[in-house]
Amino acid sequence: MKALLTFPLGGRRFTQLFVAALIAGLAIAYANGFGIGFYFDDSYGIQENPAVRSLANIPRFFSDPFTLTTVRENVDIRPVLVTTFAVNYAISGNNPWSYHAFNLIVHLLTALMVFVLVRDHIWWPASRRGPDGGARLPAAAAALFFALAPINNQALNYMWARSALLCTAFYVAAFLAIMNRRVFAAVLLHVLALLTKAIALTLPAVFVAYDFLYRDRKRHPTLRAWLRDWKELIPPVAPLAAINVVYLFFRSRMLPDWANDALHEPWVTPWIWFISQWSALLHYVRIFFLPYGLSVDTDFPYTMHVAELRAWGSLIVILAWVGLALRYSKRYPHVAFATCWFFITLATESTFTPLSEVVNDHRPYLASALGLSVLAAWLVDSAARLTARMTGGNRRVVFAAIVAVLCVGAAALGHRRTWQWSDELRLWESTVAASPNNGRAWMNAGLASMNRGNLKEAKRRFEKARELMPTYPYLHMNLSTLAIAEKRPKDAVESARQAVRFAPKLARTHFYLGVALDEQENYAESVQEFRRAIELDPNDYKARQLLEKATSLLAAQDAAKAEAAMMSEGLRLLDVDHDSARAIAVFRSLLERNPEHYGATFQLARALDTAGKQAEARPVWEKMLTLAQQAKDTQTETKVRERLAKKAT
């Protein structure tokens, strides 16, 4: 026991112990999550996406960005991500267990790479690095903090967040390859990362930051001296930068011009997004270290002006943090690098490119890998050093004890968060509790209630959502669906029209209006709405299916109206105008359209009798007898038999 507490374990034995602890922690946090279903974009990108249902479609993923999801507005270049979904679908269909198993394996491998990178390349001083060095303990802590951080729970449990999870795995692997001077492997992994999510663009900048912060201070004492030897950066950086250029060109050619604008509200400018992200970045830091208020849909406000406290206050904190990290980078290069990693890796999403939400729990997944996790390990190491100095205890034992307590707590919180994710209604109820003014959370809680048949509760939650965001088109689509479930087709149409009014260029609004009009049997207008939905989103296969059905029903409806008009005309000629000859012509014309028309057969027989053509009428009456028997219309059958019993005159 004494030997274990003083950590004389060799590199191999220590690594084995660390891996065992890592697996145990992940088992506690995520073993109860294999049944978690599909939420949000999962429905459009996995459950309802026909592209992922065949592995034969994999080549299309690299040439058609619209295979990513059935929501046209969410188009993007992520072929590697979609390929993994196709593989999962081939294994388990829409049963989620294989998706979660894949995520957990990827997360485990990424945590192991974090351990190796911190142990062999990141920690300071360099003399402590290596499998048998003192850096192995803080490296294990950093990897455990990353693996068990409750903020990273969403990246594993929410399937659509796999983009962040998988991209991070390739990104960290590429960085590890660069550290080991394996340029070809780094380039290949960088390509895979980019084809998973665009955030991988920052990899060359991260390596440049590493090279500067860990430079030979004797050879390059200043920035100017380091810049003079810029050619040394060409072998590792130039191929990555070239890949970035090719990717950006490829992306610009593949995506439509409107793709970026579709990601956010039209009033959100790059500047509004930029100043909003200052407080968002600090929110990620807070929620990593103090994981309360985790939410699948955080109601985080936009910052509209630099004069707001949340803007300039956050900016001062960020500048002070970065300034201090760089000021003491010679003494603590690992702290400066972790700081740079955090801000650089978030730059793609947190500077001037607006997205749909100001913050998202899975967004800092990459930033936490060698950023916040390393900072956490350094803070614990500093606290352990100070505690040992004050108490005379063993610094490593104190460090291990603090890490153990933090990891057990994080694993327990992760387990609870996974438990919340495992039930759709429970997840959204927890989101409403964390963000009571979040209209989307109320709406999704209502949707979960509606899916369970609790229409009364669904309506209450939808109405609360309408108070908070009266112009949100998706809410009105859900209100339309609720009205259909409650057999209120008129209200369903009105709600769907509201959705179209608020988002006329969104294909889904026209789709929902088409569905509501179908319920009213207004097939003429529903056909128009389905056609408009397809016009906006040619890949909407559901709209195509319903368009075909509505078109068929419209044709039948038109035919029924035409037949009804002919019947009315024939009866008028026969009973009002007493023009049996013309009435016979009308009824025969109707029977040519529909030979089994019940009423036309009966009235034609009557008209022939009236015209004195009993011989011609008899076979028509015989046909009518058969139709009456098939319809079990005993009253008509009796009348027809009486007529057939009479002899023709």
Side-chain angles (χ1 to χ4, degrees):
M1 178 62 71
K2 182 179 179 181
L4 181 62
L5 290 176
T6 54
F7 297 100
L9 300 174
R12 183 174 180 181
R13 291 187 61 199
F14 180 88
T15 301
Q16 291 172 342
L17 182 64
F18 155 69
V19 172
L22 176 62
I23 293 174
L26 291 175
I28 293 171
Y30 295 105
N32 59 332
F34 284 85
I36 293 173
F38 301 100
Y39 305 121
F40 278 144
D41 292 321
D42 295 347
S43 299
Y44 309 122
I46 302 173
Q47 282 184 302
E48 300 175 6
N49 188 356
V52 304
R53 295 175 185 172
S54 173
L55 295 178
N57 289 328
I58 289 178
R60 286 183 56 212
F61 302 157
F62 293 82
S63 59
D64 183 1
F66 291 99
T67 56
L68 175 66
T69 172
T70 58
V71 177
R72 183 175 177 79
E73 291 74 20
N74 291 348
V75 61
D76 206 346
I77 307 293
R78 299 181 182 181
V80 174
L81 172 67
V82 190
T83 297
T84 64
F85 289 147
V87 171
N88 280 132
Y89 190 88
I91 294 172
S92 64
N94 281 331
N95 188 319
W97 71 264
S98 74
Y99 298 82
H100 290 286
F102 180 91
N103 280 9
L104 200 54
I105 292 171
V106 171
H107 185 57
L108 172 64
L109 293 175
T110 306
L112 292 174
M113 289 188 288
V114 168
F115 169 69
V116 172
L117 278 163
V118 176
R119 184 194 67 184
D120 296 348
H121 301 284
I122 305 299
W123 203 252
W124 193 261
S127 58
R128 296 181 62 192
R129 296 179 190 159
D132 295 310
R136 67 189 189 276
L137 190 56
L144 287 167
F145 291 155
F146 165 72
L148 301 176
I151 192 176
N152 288 336
N153 186 277
Q154 182 170 310
L156 275 78
N157 289 331
Y158 176 33
M159 281 306 109
W160 201 247
R162 179 184 289 180
S163 58
L165 182 86
L166 190 59
C167 179
T168 296
F170 290 132
Y171 191 109
V172 173
F175 185 70
L176 179 59
I178 297 173
M179 293 293 98
N180 293 326
R181 303 302 176 188
R182 297 179 179 177
V183 177
F184 179 78
V187 168
L188 177 60
L189 290 164
H190 185 47
V191 170
L192 292 173
L194 286 169
L195 294 178
T196 302
K197 198 172 186 181
I199 60 174
L201 284 164
T202 59
L203 180 60
V206 163
F207 178 75
V208 170
Y210 177 89
D211 189 79
F212 171 70
L213 294 170
Y214 289 89
R215 69 189 185 277
D216 184 342
R217 298 279 175 164
K218 292 182 179 179
R219 183 182 173 195
H220 302 124
T222 64
L223 173 61
R224 182 175 296 180
W226 175 74
L227 288 174
R228 279 199 298 265
D229 288 335
W230 61 270
K231 292 182 180 180
E232 294 181 3
L233 287 173
I234 291 179
V237 174
L240 301 178
I243 291 298
N244 278 356
V245 172
V246 173
Y247 169 77
L248 289 172
F249 175 76
F250 172 69
R251 184 180 178 83
S252 68
R253 296 296 299 271
M254 291 285 288
L255 292 180
D257 296 336
W258 49 261
N260 288 332
D261 293 335
L263 295 176
H264 59 87
E265 297 287 349
W267 55 267
V268 180
T269 64
W271 175 249
I272 290 176
W273 181 261
F274 182 51
I275 62 177
S276 298
Q277 287 303 303
W278 300 342
S279 56
L281 290 167
L282 296 183
H283 171 78
Y284 293 141
V285 176
R286 195 276 298 169
I287 211 167
F288 178 87
F289 288 98
L290 299 172
Y292 65 86
L294 293 172
S295 175
V296 68
D297 189 1
T298 304
D299 185 27
F300 200 88
Y302 284 93
T303 304
M304 306 305 294
H305 199 280
V306 178
E308 294 181 40
L309 175 61
R310 64 186 303 110
W312 61 263
S314 299
L315 181 61
I316 289 174
V317 173
I318 290 172
L319 292 177
W321 174 10
V322 174
L324 287 171
L326 295 178
R327 171 68 177 80
Y328 294 99
S329 61
K330 182 177 180 180
R331 184 177 179 183
Y332 303 110
H334 49 318
V335 174
F337 175 73
T339 299
C340 290
W341 178 282
F342 175 76
F343 287 107
I344 291 174
T345 55
L346 277 170
T348 308
E349 298 171 305
S350 300
T351 49
F352 297 103
T353 306
L355 302 175
S356 56
E357 303 100 10
V358 182
V359 302
N360 208 309
D361 280 6
H362 67 262
R363 199 170 291 162
Y365 182 82
L366 172 58
S368 70
L370 291 175
L372 298 179
S373 299
V374 174
L375 289 173
W378 173 73
L379 289 172
V380 173
D381 186 58
S382 300
R385 189 185 304 273
L386 180 61
T387 302
R389 188 179 302 162
M390 293 173 62
T391 62
N394 186 301
R395 181 178 62 83
R396 291 187 174 185
V397 173
V398 174
F399 181 91
I402 296 174
V403 171
V405 170
L406 292 175
C407 288
V408 169
L413 284 174
H415 178 88
R416 176 173 174 75
R417 187 63 179 154
T418 300
W419 171 77
Q420 289 176 330
W421 272 90
S422 63
D423 182 270
E424 182 184 14
L425 183 57
R426 188 162 56 219
L427 174 66
W428 289 114
E429 287 177 339
S430 70
T431 306
V432 167
S435 305
N437 293 320
N438 186 340
R440 287 189 306 270
W442 281 101
M443 181 193 73
N444 283 295
L447 181 58
S449 297
M450 185 167 62
N451 290 338
R452 295 190 177 190
N454 190 345
L455 303 185
K456 183 178 179 180
E457 185 62 21
K459 186 173 183 178
R460 183 185 73 83
R461 287 169 168 162
F462 286 155
E463 291 301 328
K464 178 63 177 178
R466 180 151 53 181
E467 291 177 16
L468 295 168
M469 47 179 198
T471 63
Y472 191 52
Y474 288 93
L475 170 61
H476 292 280
M477 292 184 227
N478 283 315
L479 283 168
S480 178
T481 302
L482 176 64
I484 291 174
E486 292 180 334
K487 308 300 182 184
R488 296 184 286 111
K490 184 177 179 180
D491 292 337
V493 171
E494 179 55 32
S495 293
R497 290 195 191 281
Q498 284 281 76
V500 171
R501 192 173 299 123
F502 295 131
K505 295 183 179 180
L506 183 63
R508 303 299 294 177
T509 61
H510 295 277
F511 174 85
Y512 275 80
L513 179 53
V515 171
L517 289 165
D518 261 1
E519 289 295 315
Q520 276 195 330
E521 298 185 357
N522 187 347
Y523 303 120
E525 287 192 52
S526 72
V527 164
Q528 293 178 5
E529 293 303 324
F530 289 135
R531 284 175 177 166
R532 178 59 177 155
I534 294 168
E535 179 184 334
L536 292 168
D537 183 1
N539 294 323
D540 192 338
Y541 75 99
K542 274 194 170 182
R544 291 186 181 279
Q545 289 178 339
L546 292 182
L547 173 61
E548 183 178 345
K549 178 182 175 183
T551 302
S552 175
L553 290 171
L554 176 61
Q557 191 178 67
D558 289 343
K561 288 180 180 178
E563 291 174 3
M566 294 177 73
M567 276 295 296
S568 179
E569 173 68 9
L571 288 171
R572 183 184 64 79
L573 291 169
L574 180 61
D575 297 327
V576 178
D577 296 346
H578 304 292
D579 189 343
S580 57
R582 290 175 63 192
I584 290 170
V586 170
F587 291 132
R588 279 180 169 161
S589 178
L590 177 51
L591 286 169
E592 287 177 3
R593 294 169 59 103
N594 183 359
E596 303 300 313
H597 196 289
Y598 196 82
T601 303
F602 184 86
Q603 297 302 335
L604 174 61
R606 276 188 62 220
L608 288 168
D609 274 350
T610 303
K613 300 180 179 181
Q614 285 82 6
E616 290 184 46
R618 187 170 187 82
V620 180
W621 285 114
E622 290 173 348
K623 176 184 176 183
M624 190 63 220
L625 177 62
T626 302
L627 292 175
Q629 289 173 335
Q630 291 174 348
K632 297 181 180 180
D633 183 355
T634 55
Q635 186 176 0
T636 301
E637 181 183 351
T638 300
K639 290 181 180 180
V640 173
R641 288 188 183 279
E642 290 175 355
R643 165 61 184 82
L644 290 172
K646 298 178 181 179
K647 293 183 179 180
T649 60

